[in-house]
Amino acid sequence: MVQVRVLGYGEVKIRSYDVQIHRAGVEDLERRCEVGPTERAVLFIDTMGDPICRIRNSPMYKMLVAEVGGELVGVIQGSIKLATVHKPPKNLAKLGYVLGLRIAPLHRRRGIGSRLVLELEKWFTANDVDYAYMATEKDNEASVNLFINRLGYAKFRTPAILVNPVDHRALRLSSKTEVAKLKVEEAEFLYRKFMTSAEFFPDDIGNILRNKLSMGTWVAYPRGENFGSDGKALPRNWAMLSVWNSGELFKLRLAETPLSCFLHTKSSILVDRIFPFLKLPATPDFLSPFGFYFMYGVHHEGSLSGKLVRHLCQFVHNMATKTRDCKVIVTEVGGNDIPRLHIPYWKSLSCPEDLWCIKTLKNEENTIHQLQKAPPTTASLFVDPREV
């Protein structure tokens, strides 16, 4: 346990999370702290009795809590992994991911958040982490001010979070495209062959693919052609992606529905009830807790492979219709990723520019400056589903 004094505030105790002592307090704090871009929607996370669920599947993880006078007023989570950051030959680095920073509304702007981050960084440093990084909404002024202006993080990448609602009806898939599910060993081979130089590609990709939350990896290619998963006989055009069932970990609750979303939802339900024979797409009701699928590892080869990416997205949508509480499909892609042009999404629920920030934890001169100026190592960004 660490005891610190916050200027003008008093003593704050920061300690490691203890499930027996802190679970109820952390769950209560989570329920009171909104996430997501407030101009689009206000989201709350339901961890379903496991506050540490968002980091539990990472190779190493830690949760810290802050207490004032016996009251739990803050929490932060972190995880550590080995992933691609630099260009070859020094392409792997140890990364510490910062997430889940929550401060009770009545205790904000008193320095508790910065103390939690600094204590988590000490844990990173003790475990030889090269860089700490975090993600936040571009317009979240409080978060940007804390990490960039006060804690020395630098803006790194601005990927897009794409969200597509799940209709309760299956989509019609093109008969010209073949979809095949890969074995874990085949998927790992292809990812290592084609995406090892992608930024933030995890070195333990095999563990992700074997995780019980990973529903599988699928490839799409023109019907009639052969797909050699050994990488020796691949079609000229093909695409692949994997699916992670985030809804098994936690649920989301939409507290304030954007007007366009609300009207679309209500009108589509009304039309569907009055004219069911029209079989128009219906928007799910987001007012109750819901789960989601996360698509990751989106990759494609060939000038005509964009349509194959869209076909895979439609295939995943049809999978989601069979999961009762899965109401959206989410993916995150780099700002310049070509697949972004072919992934279906609803603009009013998506975030066109998420902000990733990074900080070096070792005394390497100009390292962050070089990373900021350097273009992405490839056109792709690999988003680890364990960090969603």
Side-chain angles (χ1 to χ4, degrees):
M1 180 180 67
V2 176
Q3 296 187 108
V4 296
R5 294 190 65 84
V6 177
L7 185 64
Y9 189 56
E11 187 177 86
V12 178
K13 296 180 180 179
I14 297 177
R15 65 179 75 190
S16 295
Y17 169 77
D18 185 315
V19 64
Q20 300 296 329
I21 301 173
H22 302 124
R23 184 174 68 177
V26 173
E27 286 184 316
D28 177 67
L29 181 60
E30 193 74 66
R31 283 192 293 267
R32 291 186 287 136
C33 295
E34 70 278 0
V35 297
T38 55
E39 71 275 10
R40 296 182 182 87
V42 176
L43 290 171
F44 292 87
I45 295 177
D46 179 1
T47 59
M48 301 188 296
D50 183 13
I52 211 165
C53 64
R54 293 181 65 195
I55 55 175
R56 186 176 295 282
N57 292 285
S58 297
M60 295 179 63
Y61 58 86
K62 191 176 188 68
M63 177 186 281
L64 298 174
V65 299
E67 299 171 315
V68 174
E71 178 189 0
L72 194 150
V73 299
V75 64
I76 195 171
Q77 301 178 44
S79 62
I80 297 175
K81 68 179 179 184
L82 196 64
T84 302
V85 174
H86 305 279
K87 293 183 178 180
K90 188 185 177 183
N91 62 325
L92 289 177
K94 210 169 187 180
L95 302 178
Y97 183 55
V98 181
L99 75 159
L101 177 61
R102 308 278 188 264
I103 306 297
L106 294 179
H107 296 268
R108 293 172 182 171
R109 298 179 179 85
R110 297 182 178 181
I112 298 176
S114 59
R115 293 307 313 179
L116 281 168
V117 176
L118 291 172
E119 289 303 318
L120 186 64
E121 287 180 356
K122 289 181 181 179
W123 178 67
F124 288 158
T125 301
N127 286 280
D128 201 33
V129 167
D130 296 288
Y131 303 101
Y133 74 106
M134 52 78 67
T136 187
E137 297 80 31
K138 180 183 177 182
D139 299 324
N140 189 331
E141 294 182 4
S143 182
V144 171
N145 180 63
L146 172 63
F147 283 93
I148 295 180
N149 298 335
R150 296 180 61 185
L151 296 174
Y153 285 71
K155 297 179 181 179
F156 184 56
R157 297 289 181 250
T158 53
I161 300 175
L162 308 180
V163 181
N164 198 43
V166 176
D167 183 13
H168 66 274
R169 299 189 186 95
L171 302 175
R172 179 177 295 180
L173 303 180
S174 171
S175 60
K176 298 181 181 180
T177 301
E178 186 77 38
V179 174
K181 185 176 183 179
L182 299 177
K183 296 178 181 178
V184 170
E185 296 77 15
E186 295 171 335
E188 181 176 359
F189 174 82
L190 289 177
Y191 276 127
R192 291 194 183 279
K193 180 177 177 64
F194 291 98
M195 294 197 73
T196 48
S197 60
E199 287 185 322
F200 290 83
F201 181 83
D203 191 51
D204 67 333
I205 181 64
N207 291 335
I208 298 176
L209 297 172
R210 290 177 177 84
N211 191 287
K212 63 180 182 180
L213 296 174
S214 192
M215 304 180 71
T217 302
W218 288 264
V219 292
Y221 53 95
R223 189 176 297 277
E225 298 190 25
N226 295 320
F227 189 91
S229 55
D230 58 358
K232 296 180 180 179
L234 296 173
R236 181 174 300 177
N237 295 283
W238 61 279
M240 69 183 295
L241 58 76
S242 299
V243 181
W244 184 272
N245 189 358
S246 298
E248 288 293 317
L249 285 179
F250 60 90
K251 298 289 190 291
L252 298 176
R253 176 170 57 87
L254 193 61
E256 296 179 10
T257 308
L259 181 60
S260 60
C261 174
F262 179 81
L263 293 177
H264 192 170
T265 298
K266 296 304 179 183
S267 61
S268 63
I269 292 175
L270 180 62
V271 170
D272 186 54
R273 288 177 179 173
I274 299 175
F275 306 109
F277 57 88
L278 294 178
K279 296 183 179 181
L280 297 175
T283 305
D285 184 359
F286 294 108
L287 301 182
S288 57
F290 60 92
F292 65 98
Y293 284 174
F294 185 76
M295 297 191 306
Y296 68 99
V298 181
H299 179 75
H300 68 104
E301 294 283 337
S303 59
L304 303 178
S305 58
K307 292 182 179 180
L308 299 175
V309 171
R310 178 171 289 271
H311 187 99
L312 281 175
C313 293
Q314 294 171 336
F315 177 84
V316 174
H317 171 275
N318 289 352
M319 286 174 48
T321 61
K322 301 174 183 178
T323 302
R324 183 175 58 86
D325 63 352
C326 181
K327 296 184 179 179
V328 293
I329 297 170
V330 182
T331 191
E332 188 164 7
V333 295
N336 297 319
D337 279 11
I338 296 177
R340 179 177 178 175
L341 303 174
H342 306 283
I343 296 173
Y345 67 96
W346 194 357
K347 187 176 181 179
S348 62
L349 289 179
S350 300
C351 178
E353 286 193 6
D354 195 27
L355 178 62
W356 285 24
C357 301
I358 195 167
K359 174 182 180 179
T360 181
L361 297 181
K362 295 185 176 181
N363 295 323
E364 299 179 10
E365 294 185 6
N366 300 320
T367 301
I368 290 297
H369 181 67
Q370 293 172 5
L371 284 174
Q372 283 183 282
K373 293 184 65 176
T377 54
T378 67
S380 299
L381 177 70
F382 193 100
V383 180
D384 193 329
R386 299 171 298 190
E387 298 173 352
V388 173

